Each structure stands twice: as structure tokens, then as C-alpha cells.
């Protein structure tokens, strides 16, 4: 069913997942299109973003953000058109990116976490990826925490995803040797042939640890952590003294319901951090770096326009297909930034 002018389709959290989400954890409902009150504007959502952090919001475990209530609208950022505005600084027709839009056709906003976009932007969906939160995450985490220096070795997992692809390409622009880790030969070939990585390794192979050691003969100076699991196990023995590890995600563990099998690796990690004087720092992009967003756009926008940073999106049509796309993304089925086209 396409978007209409008088119905607001919404996708709600129907139940909290146990392990990996399943379709029955979501519910599609139809409600009236809301009307903006004083100090509000009505947005018609066009593109919505699907991101791994949303899995954490489906849980009621303690985290950096409030969980979605059962029966609540699933959260997301979206590229939207302003339909009506009772808000200074925004007018009907404006193209915006709203980080609080939600999985729905229409949303109300008080202007917080809303950024105006160029109304003639050729690819507005890029505001949800390379020019949005994922790109911002990769850029700031790499440069502020990773502090890459020319000639150093930078390793990044989920290398063809929206964060990892930015990390690797920016590291190359800074003169580093870049080794990616991705799922499958097609993604690995893309990272090398299109994104310009020096090497990319398949995490699905049992030989990952040996392959990574061979690809990093001088060790690892920066490891950008957004996966966790067995990838980090392969990285740990190769970390150089004074290595830096920005941590923005742990997608390999988001669906876990218990600790992983095998020995407790925490003592090994703690000893490694101490003996190698390693800096390992987690961050939440807008909490830690929100004021730097204009600085990021000023650097990234021309890189994208000039083809110095290449972009790949995994596009899905239809709000109703968002749950299945989200489930697939958590399993690594996407190739590039996952976005859902809700309307023209």
C-alpha cells in the first residue's frame, strides 16, 4: 500500500525480541495523519534509515537511550518534507533530515534534531548514510579517537557498511594502510576494487585470524570496533603498543541471550590494554560529538561530490517491508547503507 494523504501508517514494537527479532515482534497499524500544534511542524517522511542501534532500543535492558515501549513507534531518522509549520525557521516545502521521525508516514517535530537539507539535493537518502549519522560516526570516531597517522595500519570490520566504508576511505585519505573485514567475497572485492582498501578479509572463513595476521605484518595501530565477536578475537593479538580502538557498536552480540561459549577473555583483554598501553574508547555520536556535525559536513560533502568517498546504498521499497529488511540487516544481508523508500 503506498503512502496516502489521509492515513498515517506506523510500525510499532509488538513485543520485545528474545534473541534475533522476528516479524511478529512488529505490528503495522493505520492512524489519522496528526495535526501540528503551536511550536510544531508536520513532516511527510520520504526515506527512512535502518541502523543496528535500533535492536538495542527494542530491549528494556539498561542502555544509553530509553527503550521503545511495547506498542510504541519504532525509532529512526528520516528524510522528510515539511507539510505544515508553526515553527520559526521551517516552512512548508523544506527538505529536512529528522532524527526522531520513527517508522511511519508522518511525524510531528518541535525542530529538535532536525537539519535542513539542500532542496535540490540529488540523492537525499545520502543524508541518512554517508552524510548522516553513520558517516558522522565513522569520521569522528576515526579522527578523534583513532587519530590515524600516515603509514599506520587501520583495520575496520563491517568494511562495506555505512560506518566501516567511511572509516576505511577516510583512513586512506589520511595516508594509512587499510585492511577491511567483511562478509563474503563480493563485499571483500568491493572494498578493495571500489573503495580502495589495501586488503579485505572474509570473516566467514575459519582462517580469519591467520589471514588478518598475514595482512597486517606490522601489527594494527587503529582498530575501529563496530562488530565484536570473533573479529575482535582475531584483532587482539595483533594490536601494537599505543593502539587506539574507537568503539561504536557490537552488532555480532546484539541478538545474544547469553555469554559466548569458550574461556573468559576479559582478563586477557585487560592485560593487553595495560601492557600495550592501548586506548579503547566507546562513544555515542551525537552525545559526544553533536556540535561537530557542521565540521563533518564541510569535509565530507566535497569528498562525496568529488568521488573521493564512494557511496553504496541497499534500498528497500515500502514502509511495510521495513521489519524484514531490518531483520536481514542484523544478519548481514545488506550490501551498503540500508534505507527504505516510503514515498516519492
Amino acid at each position: 500500500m503506498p503512502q496516502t494523504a489521509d492515513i498515517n501508517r506506523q510500525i510499532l514494537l509488538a513485543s520485545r525480541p528474545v534473541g534475533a527479532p522476528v516479524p511478529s515482534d512488529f505490528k503495522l497499524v493505520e492512524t489519522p495523519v496528526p495535526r501540528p500544534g503551536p511550536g510544531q511542524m508536520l513532516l511527510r517522511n520520504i526515506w527512512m534509515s535502518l541502523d543496528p542501534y535500533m535492536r538495542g532500543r527494542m530491549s528494556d535492558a539498561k542502555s544509553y537511550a530509553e527503550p521503545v515501549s511495547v506498542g510504541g513507534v519504532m525509532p529512526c531518522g528520516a528524510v522528510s518534507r515539511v507539510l505544515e509549520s508553526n515553527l520559526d525557521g521551517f516552512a512548508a516545502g523544506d527538505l529536512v533530515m529528522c532524527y526522531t521521525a520513527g517508522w511511519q508516514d508522518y511525524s510531528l517535530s518541535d525542530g529538535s534534531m532536525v537539519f535542513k537539507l539542500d532542496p535540490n539535493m540529488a540523492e537525499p537518502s545520502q543524508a541518512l548514510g554517508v552524510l548522516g549519522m553513520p558517516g558522522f560516526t565513522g569520521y569522528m570516531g576515526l579522527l578523534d579517537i583513532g587519530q590515524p597517522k600516515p603509514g599506520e595500519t587501520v583495520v575496520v570490520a563491517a568494511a562495506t557498511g555505512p560506518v566501516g566504508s567511511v572509516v576505511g576511505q577516510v583512513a586512506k585519505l589520511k595516508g594509512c594502510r587499510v585492511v577491511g573485514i567483511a562478509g563474503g567475497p563480493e563485499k571483500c572485492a568491493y572494498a578493495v576494487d571500489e573503495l580502495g582498501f589495501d586488503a579485505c578479509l572474509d570473516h566467514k572463513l575459519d582462517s580469519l585470524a591467520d589471514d588478518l595476521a598475514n595482512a597486517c605484518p606490522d601489527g594494527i595501530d587503529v582498530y575501529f570496533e563496530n562488530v565484536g565477536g570473533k573479529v575482535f578475537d582475531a584483532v587482539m593479538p595483533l594490536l601494537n603498543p599505543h593502539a587506539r580502538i574507537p568503539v561504536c557498536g557490537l552488532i555480532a552480540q546484539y541478538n545474544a541471550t547469553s555469554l559466548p561459549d569458550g574461556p573468559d577473555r576479559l582478563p586477557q583483554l585487560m592485560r593487553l590494554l595495560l601492557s600495550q598501553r592501548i586506548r579503547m574508547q566507546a562513544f555515542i555520536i551525537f552525545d559526544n560529538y553533536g556540535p561537530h556535525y557542521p565540521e563533518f559536513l564541510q569535509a565530507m560533502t566535497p569528498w562525496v561530490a568529488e568521488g573521493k568517498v564512494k557511496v553504496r546504498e541497499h534500498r528497500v521499497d515500502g514502509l511495510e517491508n521495513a521489519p524484514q529488511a531490518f531483520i536481514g540487516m542484523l544478519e548481514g544481508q545488506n550490501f551498503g547503507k540500508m534505507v527504505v523508500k516510503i514515498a516519492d
Side-chain angles (χ1 to χ4, degrees):
M1 173 183 171
Q3 189 180 82
T4 67
D6 54 357
I7 293 175
N8 185 28
R9 297 172 302 165
Q10 299 178 309
I11 295 182
L12 312 181
L13 177 64
S15 56
R16 299 206 184 280
V18 178
V22 295
S24 60
D25 291 323
F26 305 90
K27 182 180 181 181
L28 177 65
V29 299
E30 296 181 357
T31 61
V33 176
R35 299 265 66 88
Q40 289 185 319
M41 57 183 170
L42 175 64
L43 304 178
R44 180 173 70 86
N45 300 326
I46 302 169
W47 290 95
M48 58 175 276
S49 178
L50 295 180
D51 299 283
Y53 78 84
M54 297 170 184
R55 175 61 184 86
R57 300 289 299 277
M58 299 173 76
S59 167
D60 58 2
K62 183 179 180 180
S63 184
Y64 63 89
E66 288 295 320
V68 184
S69 59
V70 174
V73 178
M74 282 292 297
C76 76
V79 170
S80 314
R81 285 282 182 192
V82 178
L83 288 187
E84 301 177 44
S85 178
N86 299 322
L87 198 57
D88 289 341
F90 295 94
D94 284 349
L95 185 68
V96 300
M97 177 178 58
C98 176
Y99 280 104
T100 57
W103 296 21
Q104 55 188 345
D105 287 317
Y106 298 91
S107 57
L108 294 176
S109 172
D110 62 4
S112 59
M113 295 298 287
V114 178
F115 301 89
K116 281 190 179 182
L117 300 175
D118 180 349
N120 300 312
M121 192 176 180
E123 298 289 348
S125 57
Q126 290 182 358
L128 300 172
V130 68
L131 300 177
M133 182 270 291
F136 188 27
T137 298
Y139 177 90
M140 292 306 306
L142 175 69
L143 296 186
D144 189 62
I145 300 173
Q147 298 182 3
K149 302 174 183 64
E152 288 191 325
T153 297
V154 174
V155 173
V156 58
T160 61
V163 176
S165 62
V166 166
V167 169
Q169 291 181 90
V170 173
K172 287 298 294 182
L173 290 170
K174 297 299 180 181
C176 298
R177 184 169 188 276
V178 176
V179 177
I181 300 172
E186 184 184 4
K187 292 181 178 180
C188 288
Y190 174 77
V192 174
D193 298 339
E194 296 295 327
L195 302 183
F197 288 28
D198 295 283
C200 190
L201 312 174
D202 187 351
H203 68 71
K204 295 181 179 180
L205 300 180
D206 293 336
S207 58
L208 174 62
D210 291 337
D211 294 342
L212 186 61
N214 291 332
C216 302
D218 298 322
I220 297 171
D221 300 295
V222 180
Y223 172 56
F224 196 103
E225 177 62 288
N226 55 4
V227 171
K230 69 176 185 179
V231 173
F232 189 63
D233 291 344
V235 166
M236 280 174 56
L238 304 174
L239 290 167
N240 286 332
H242 307 289
R244 289 81 69 197
I245 308 174
V247 181
C248 77
L250 298 166
I251 193 171
Q253 297 161 222
Y254 287 163
N255 289 330
T257 56
S258 61
L259 292 174
D261 294 334
D264 179 4
R265 296 174 178 82
L266 182 59
Q268 177 190 0
L269 173 61
M270 296 298 288
R271 180 175 179 178
L272 183 69
L273 294 177
L274 176 61
S275 64
Q276 298 288 68
R277 289 85 74 203
I278 290 168
R279 179 187 185 187
M280 187 174 190
Q281 181 176 333
F283 67 103
I284 304 300
I285 185 59
F286 280 104
D287 284 0
N288 292 101
Y289 295 111
H292 293 272
Y293 188 64
E295 164 198 327
F296 154 73
L297 283 181
Q298 188 174 16
M300 187 61 67
T301 301
W303 283 343
V304 172
E306 296 164 13
K308 293 180 178 179
V309 172
K310 295 181 172 64
V311 180
R312 181 168 182 142
E313 293 181 327
H314 189 120
R315 294 181 169 184
V316 173
D317 282 321
L319 177 67
E320 68 278 6
N321 295 318
Q324 194 58 55
F326 178 70
I327 291 168
M329 179 193 66
L330 292 177
E331 297 172 351
Q333 296 177 11
N334 59 303
F335 194 163
K337 174 70 185 89
M338 178 70 82
V339 291
V340 179
K341 187 177 183 181
I342 303 176
D344 294 325

